[in-house]
């Protein structure tokens, strides 16, 4: 399975320039996601989708990974449109993982377990959520909340889709994981500090 890292957002709330390039313990945010995907045994190629507002991200990826990661330029402004363009440009076949660039705490075991669940369920698409109490426990105020069978859940920015049906609505399995590593995506200075503290504690 290939993976596409979505890195076309400027990250205005963070206010530190292009969010994928923001450094956390001396490493760009997006590199935590790329390096995790590259270390995941079930992920083949990794692509990065940039937009007109993230030109420095494109340059940084090219310099840091020396052609090992293909950068795809999207038009920006429409997340779904950019995602479809990225999938079609990548020429990936079969299932593809779509993941946000601001999840520095994820690890290879977590990605592998998500892929394993996708294969087990057999539906065209899978979306990963955390219960809202996981966000509250991590001190996060989520932007988007869904009600699933009376339970409030929050999307994590990790999805798997069937690339052959990328322009169609796909039957979707909701994978709900009680994992704080998925709850923290970096939108604010406080999120960045929280990730710094957690990464330093784990080392």
């Amino acid at each position: 399975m290939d993976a596409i890292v979505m890195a076309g957002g400027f990250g205005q709330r963070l206010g530190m320039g292009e969010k994928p390039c923001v450094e956390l313990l001396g490493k760009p945010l997006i590199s935590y996601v790329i390096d995790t995907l590259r270390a995941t045994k079930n992920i083949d190629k990794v692509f990065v989708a940039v937009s007109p507002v993230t030109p420095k991200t494109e340059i940084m990826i090219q310099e840091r990974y020396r052609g090992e990661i293909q950068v795809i330029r999207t038009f920006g402004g429409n997340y779904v449109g950019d995602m479809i363009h990225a999938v079609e440009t990548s020429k990936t076949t079969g299932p593809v993982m779509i993941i946000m660039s601001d999840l520095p705490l994820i690890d290879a075991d977590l990605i592998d377990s998500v892929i394993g669940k996708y294969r087990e369920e057999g539906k065209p698409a899978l979306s990963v959520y955390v219960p809202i109490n996981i966000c509250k426990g991590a001190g996060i105020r989520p932007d988007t909340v869904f009600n699933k069978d009376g339970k409030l859940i929050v999307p994590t920015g990790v999805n798997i889709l069937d690339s052959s049906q990328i322009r169609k609505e796909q039957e979707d399995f909701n994978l709900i994981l009680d994992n704080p590593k998925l709850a923290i995506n970096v939108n604010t200075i406080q999120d960045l500090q929280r990730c710094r503290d957690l990464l330093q504690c784990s080392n």
Side-chain angles (χ1 to χ4, degrees):
M1 182 184 300
D2 293 338
I4 297 175
V5 184
M6 299 300 291
F10 192 73
Q12 287 176 312
R13 274 186 294 168
L14 190 57
M16 296 175 70
E18 293 180 29
K19 185 160 64 166
C21 294
V22 170
E23 292 211 341
L24 173 61
L25 299 175
K27 182 174 172 177
L29 276 178
I30 193 172
S31 287
Y32 285 90
V33 178
I34 292 172
D35 295 349
T36 292
L37 292 168
R38 294 176 88 202
T40 303
K41 62 178 184 285
N42 286 300
I43 293 290
D44 301 316
K45 291 182 189 167
V46 178
F47 300 86
V48 173
V50 298
S51 78
V53 300
T54 53
K56 290 178 183 172
T57 300
E58 179 176 359
I59 293 165
M60 184 270 290
I61 296 296
Q62 289 168 342
E63 289 177 350
R64 192 175 181 99
Y65 295 99
R66 305 282 172 194
E68 292 175 29
I69 302 291
Q70 184 183 331
V71 174
I72 297 169
R73 292 177 181 169
T74 68
F75 304 104
N78 181 315
Y79 179 84
V80 174
D82 287 352
M83 181 197 67
I84 291 169
H85 175 77
V87 170
E88 292 179 341
T89 304
S90 73
K91 295 186 165 51
T92 187
T93 57
V96 59
M97 177 168 283
I98 309 293
I99 187 167
M100 304 300 287
S101 64
D102 59 355
L103 294 164
L105 302 181
I106 59 161
D107 56 48
D109 289 343
L110 185 53
I111 296 293
D112 273 329
S113 70
V114 169
I115 293 170
K117 189 66 178 174
Y118 174 79
R119 289 172 176 160
E120 189 184 302
E121 289 299 325
K123 289 185 178 176
L126 177 146
S127 305
V128 184
Y129 298 84
V130 292
I132 195 166
N133 63 295
I134 295 286
C135 295
K136 287 178 178 174
I140 302 292
R141 294 182 66 181
D143 294 332
T144 309
V145 179
F146 294 105
N147 188 321
K148 170 78 172 176
D149 301 326
K151 190 176 186 179
L152 295 177
I153 57 173
V154 178
T156 63
V158 180
N159 300 277
I160 300 176
L161 297 164
D162 180 350
S163 62
S164 70
Q165 302 180 51
I166 200 63
R167 288 185 175 268
K168 299 174 184 171
E169 192 166 336
Q170 301 182 21
E171 189 183 359
D172 184 42
F173 177 76
N174 298 152
L175 177 58
I176 303 168
L177 297 174
D178 292 337
N179 192 322
K181 288 181 179 178
L182 284 163
I184 304 180
N185 65 319
V186 178
N187 286 316
T188 65
I189 297 286
Q190 290 78 14
D191 296 340
L192 194 65
Q193 184 60 52
R194 201 169 283 115
C195 287
R196 186 180 293 118
D197 294 343
L198 289 165
L199 286 166
Q200 287 174 327
C201 288
S202 64
N203 290 336

